[in-house]
Structure formats: C-alpha cells, structure tokens
Amino acid sequence: MNFKGGVAVIGGGPAGIMAAIQAAEQGAEVTLYEGTPRLLNKLRISGKGRCNLTNACDREEFLSNVLRGQRFFRSAFTRFDNEALMNFVEGLGVPLKVERGGRVFPVSDRAGDVAQALVDALGHAGVRAVLRSKAKKLYWNGESFTLELDSGHVVHPVRVVLACGGESYPGTGSDGSGYTLARALGHGITQRYPSLAPVDTVETWPREAAGLSLRNVGLSAYAGGKRVFYEQGEMLFTHTGVSGPLVLSASCHLKSEMDCHLMIDLKPALTPEQLDARILRDFEKYSSRAAKNALGDLLPRSLIEPVVTLWGIGDQVVNQVTKPQRRELCRLLKELPLTVKSIGPREAAIVTRGGVELRQVNPKTMESKLVPGLYFAGEILDLDGYTGGFNLQIAFSTGFAAGTACGLSLQSKEV
C-alpha cells in the first residue's frame, strides 16, 4: 500500500462514512481505514438493533438535547440538520418513520438496512474502504501526514479525518485509540466518563426487582448535593442497580467520583396529600391485614418487600399504623432513595462523555486549529447528547462538515 495525497478517513462509523462520502463528492481521492472486519459496527446495534437514526423535533429543541458542546455544534447542525439526514437516508432507499418522542427509525426496524445503504453510498462515491487496518501512529511534517497502520503499511495523505469514536463498546472498534492519535499531535483530551449508561447502586434491593420496568415515574438525580436532573418516563431495575431511558439520561450528569444519588417518585401524578388519601382508602379496605400485605393495589409485587423493609414496619397490622408511619410511607413512595455506586461500566455506555477539546477545533469546518489539514468528527469530540437519536445526528452532522470542508480545501490544490 502506497497511498500518497488525498484524504484518509480513520474510522468506519457514521461520522467517518459521512465524512468520506462528502469529501469524495467534492472530488477528493478518499481512502477510509477501519480496524475491524466490517463498517458501521456500532450503528448496527444502535436502538436495540433498530437504529434510532435521529430525532424529528425542531431545531431549538434538538439543540437543547445536546448536553456538551451545544454552541459548538450549532453550526454543523444548521448545515446538515435532522431533516437533511432523513432526506439523505430516504434518498438511499431506506424509508423512515417517526415514533414516540420524535425518535426516527427505518420502517423495517432493521439497523442493517441503514448500514447497507450507507456502505453502498460509500462505494458509489468512489471511496476506497480498507478493512482490518487500524491506525497505529499519525505524524504531520507541516505539509503532509504519515499514517502508520497496524498492518505495517505507511501512507502519506495530505488531509486526515479522525472519526475513531470514543471508548464505549470497544468491540465495535470504538476503543479510545483515536484519543492517542489526537494527543500525539498536541490536542488536549478532556476527562472521559461513561454517558447514557446504566447505574449500579450501593443498595442491593434492586436485585429483588430485577427485570421490573416502571412507566410514568419521576426520577431525580443529585450530584454534590445539587439536583442536576429530573424527568418523568420509564426505568428498569437490574441485578446491580437501575437502567432504562430515565436512568440513561440521568447518567449524563453524574460522575462516579462524586457523591451522587437518585430519588424515584413512584407516583408523580399525585401530590403527597392525594397519595396519603389513596393510602388511607387502601388501608381501610385491608384494615385487618399486615401492612406489607396491603400494598398490592399500590405497588408492583416485586417492589413491596423492598419498600416495606425501608419503611421499617415489620409485621405490623394496618389498623395499628400511625399517622407519622403513614406519612413516612408517602415520603418513600415519592422519594425512593438509591445511592450511586458506579456508572457504566464505560464499555457498556452508549456514548463517551469527553474527548478532543472543542476550543482547539473550528466549529464550521471541524478542522484542527493546531494542525492544518486535520479534521475531527463524531464521538472523538467532547460533544454528546441525550438518548433519542441525538448522538447519531451529532456524528452525521460533524462528519458532513468535516468531509465537505476537507474536500473543498483540496479543490484548488495539486494533490
């Protein structure tokens, strides 16, 4: 292999694929290097294998769901937004649909359909894809780059797009190696954390409710004594803690090294007074039973024992429950506490929080401010959002910006 000139795109995920296509559309000679045997590994498992491609909400609402780098991302999103991405994918022959919460999926519910359409588009654009070729080292001499691959081959592109992903799901190729390449060229890398990840708890009682999914509950998250998140929706108990959409979103605001805890409001539609009245009605109905056997109309079966244990009522009969004890039960149902033990693990997180420092990257072109001709796209950047299609859009939009700018920069030059 003796590739000289042109563009080298490192990483065969959504950001790299889009960057390669757009650079080729500008007339550049593009070679894409992917370290695994297949392109778009992570996209193929996204959305539980259905591919939550983007979110159909309006522009400002979309940007409000970008947690870090919102101002930085605005330019790339303006040029290639969610509507543009949907039109692009449907133009490749993959019809899309919008589901609850604005989530966009292929009509077929198969992520593989989106992946295959993108791979086909890559080929039609004339991009050369080299698989099982992981970037090992990257140097810049002021005019061109030297890229060493783990196969031993050395190539000399004049433009490089780093789209290697973060550190989540390393088996897909997103193993953090891109940070090493960027750091070697002088770029700062912010501290990384797992984001959109399940939470393990200090308390072990969630194990008793493992598999239980709750809908229409409220979840508050606290970090360092401050509430950093509240939302209503769905969550799930696991053998080690909690997961599900609410928990994944809450995890974006938490750090394992901080004092973090969660509060579950099992009855967010009821005020404490309304909940107390509801409990009174149930207690009148089951007045001769043990209190722990009077909660079946109020709680899922697998939550009764944990709640009763926290309540500390023992085998007390309902008609012996005092008003302060009843109010304590109300408090527990509105503020069921969990202490965060850890977030992740990082390998199981949907995205990586942190990455290449945005102040070192041009937000319009995704070009490095330190190394001319070097571009970044996707999860390698310190740029992430909530679950719901926002992170895939970030990948496609930044890939579009990087590839377009990269290709245009070569039009007036001899390559």
Side-chain angles (χ1 to χ4, degrees):
M1 187 182 298
N2 189 28
F3 175 60
K4 293 185 178 180
V7 176
V9 176
I10 303 174
I17 295 283
M18 181 60 77
I21 291 172
Q22 295 308 312
E25 291 289 337
Q26 309 306 319
E29 179 187 357
V30 183
T31 301
L32 183 147
Y33 299 95
E34 165 59 37
T36 72
R38 188 172 67 167
L39 300 172
L40 296 163
N41 294 302
K42 198 171 177 183
L43 181 141
R44 295 174 193 271
I45 62 173
S46 68
K48 297 180 180 179
R50 296 175 61 214
C51 186
N52 183 186
L53 185 70
T54 185
N55 195 287
C57 61
D58 64 42
R59 180 170 296 180
E60 292 308 314
E61 183 180 352
F62 194 104
L63 289 170
S64 73
N65 280 276
V66 177
L67 297 174
R68 277 160 288 276
Q70 184 182 126
R71 290 181 62 188
F72 176 91
F73 180 61
R74 182 178 288 271
S75 177
F77 185 60
T78 298
R79 295 180 61 197
F80 190 75
D81 62 11
N82 44 0
E83 184 176 351
L85 176 57
M86 288 186 280
N87 289 337
F88 177 81
V89 172
E90 290 198 315
L92 299 179
V94 182
L96 303 173
K97 61 181 177 179
V98 181
E99 296 188 358
R100 182 172 53 87
R103 290 169 166 83
V104 177
F105 295 90
V107 170
S108 67
D109 286 328
R110 294 194 297 263
D113 290 351
V114 179
Q116 188 57 55
L118 289 169
V119 171
D120 290 345
L122 193 72
H124 292 151
V127 176
R128 179 172 175 242
V130 183
L131 305 179
R132 297 182 177 87
S133 293
K134 183 176 179 179
K136 186 177 179 182
K137 292 182 180 179
L138 181 63
Y139 306 95
W140 180 63
N141 65 8
E143 293 184 359
S144 66
F145 295 88
T146 297
L147 172 60
E148 294 183 10
L149 303 171
D150 61 357
S151 62
H153 289 106
V154 177
V155 297
H156 301 280
V158 295
R159 299 287 186 273
V160 172
V161 180
L162 278 181
C164 315
E167 294 174 310
S168 58
Y169 294 106
T172 66
S174 182
D175 60 2
S177 58
Y179 301 133
T180 302
L181 299 176
R183 188 182 287 112
L185 291 172
H187 295 84
I189 309 297
T190 63
Q191 190 167 356
R192 280 100 60 216
Y193 301 93
S195 192
L196 297 178
V199 170
D200 287 352
T201 60
V202 173
E203 295 83 359
T204 58
W205 66 257
R207 182 185 304 131
E208 300 175 40
L212 173 65
S213 179
L214 298 177
R215 294 185 177 185
N216 302 317
V217 297
L219 182 68
S220 296
Y222 296 82
K226 296 181 179 180
R227 188 164 85 164
V228 293
F229 174 86
Y230 175 78
E231 198 171 297
Q232 292 184 26
E234 300 178 20
M235 62 175 292
L236 171 74
F237 290 97
T238 70
H239 288 283
T240 57
V242 285
S243 188
L246 280 180
V247 175
L248 298 184
S249 293
S251 74
C252 299
H253 302 273
L254 304 175
K255 300 177 182 178
S256 293
E257 68 266 25
M258 294 182 68
D259 176 21
C260 299
H261 64 279
L262 306 173
M263 290 283 189
I264 306 170
D265 184 349
L266 294 169
K267 303 293 177 182
L270 301 178
T271 65
E273 293 75 20
Q274 291 171 329
L275 180 56
D276 188 44
R278 164 67 194 279
I279 292 172
L280 266 175
R281 289 197 299 272
D282 284 0
F283 279 10
E284 289 171 1
K285 182 179 178 181
Y286 303 114
S287 60
S288 61
R289 293 186 182 184
K292 66 181 179 181
N293 296 325
L295 302 179
D297 295 345
L298 199 61
L299 292 171
R301 181 179 299 177
S302 57
L303 271 187
I304 292 175
E305 193 64 40
V307 167
V308 169
T309 300
L310 290 170
W311 189 17
I313 205 74
D315 293 323
Q316 193 169 326
V317 177
V318 167
N319 58 22
Q320 297 175 335
V321 173
T322 65
K323 186 175 182 179
Q325 287 175 325
R326 197 178 69 243
R327 287 182 173 173
E328 173 61 13
L329 176 60
C330 281
R331 187 194 66 78
L332 274 174
L333 297 182
K334 297 291 287 182
E335 298 179 346
L336 188 62
L338 286 169
T339 308
V340 175
K341 180 180 180 181
S342 63
I343 303 153
R346 184 174 296 179
E347 294 78 13
I350 293 176
V351 296
T352 303
R353 171 181 172 184
V356 173
E357 293 183 6
L358 299 183
R359 62 185 179 86
Q360 298 176 341
V361 181
N362 184 324
K364 293 183 179 180
T365 63
M366 298 297 137
E367 185 176 14
S368 166
K369 294 179 180 179
L370 307 181
V371 181
L374 177 66
Y375 299 78
F376 297 98
E379 196 179 344
I380 193 172
L381 293 161
D382 183 14
L383 183 62
D384 64 281
Y386 282 126
T387 184
F390 302 101
N391 290 288
L392 269 179
Q393 179 72 52
I394 288 172
F396 283 114
S397 293
T398 55
F400 182 92
T404 302
C406 179
L408 287 173
S409 73
L410 292 173
Q411 286 188 358
S412 60
K413 296 179 180 293
E414 292 290 328
V415 181

